[in-house]
Amino acid sequence: GAPFSDHYRIGLGGYAGAVLRLGRFAQTKAEARYIYYFLGDRRRAPVVSLGQGFNLGPWGQIRLVGDAVGSYREARAELLGYF
């Protein structure tokens, strides 16, 4: 079935991540999480994410991020603004 086929998920899990600062202008991020859903959509897959961020100053950042969930892969660019 499709994700959220029952229109909800309830579960528990864990998360671990690390950030490596590369000077004032860049940082590398790695994280992983695993959630066991005991109600709703019960599929389980660990999520692994790697990213590289480039600071635009004190007001923003550009990030290039790649995610892997089971056989699904995603790459995206993010623009973050800080207020």
Side-chain angles (χ1 to χ4, degrees), residues 34-70:
Y34 181 82
I35 301 174
Y36 174 76
Y37 296 105
F38 47 84
L39 291 175
D41 183 359
R42 297 183 61 143
R43 291 177 291 168
R44 296 183 292 264
V47 178
V48 177
S49 179
L50 298 172
Q52 179 69 47
F54 302 97
N55 296 331
L56 301 173
W59 55 269
Q61 185 179 71
I62 294 175
R63 288 185 189 164
L64 304 174
V65 180
D67 290 336
V69 182

Side-chain angles (χ1 to χ4, degrees), residues 8 12 15 21 27 33 46 54-55 57 61 74 83:
Y8 68 93
L12 296 172
Y15 170 90
R21 290 205 169 268
Q27 61 195 29
R33 68 182 179 269
F54 302 97
N55 296 331
Q61 185 179 71
E74 174 181 284
F83 303 96

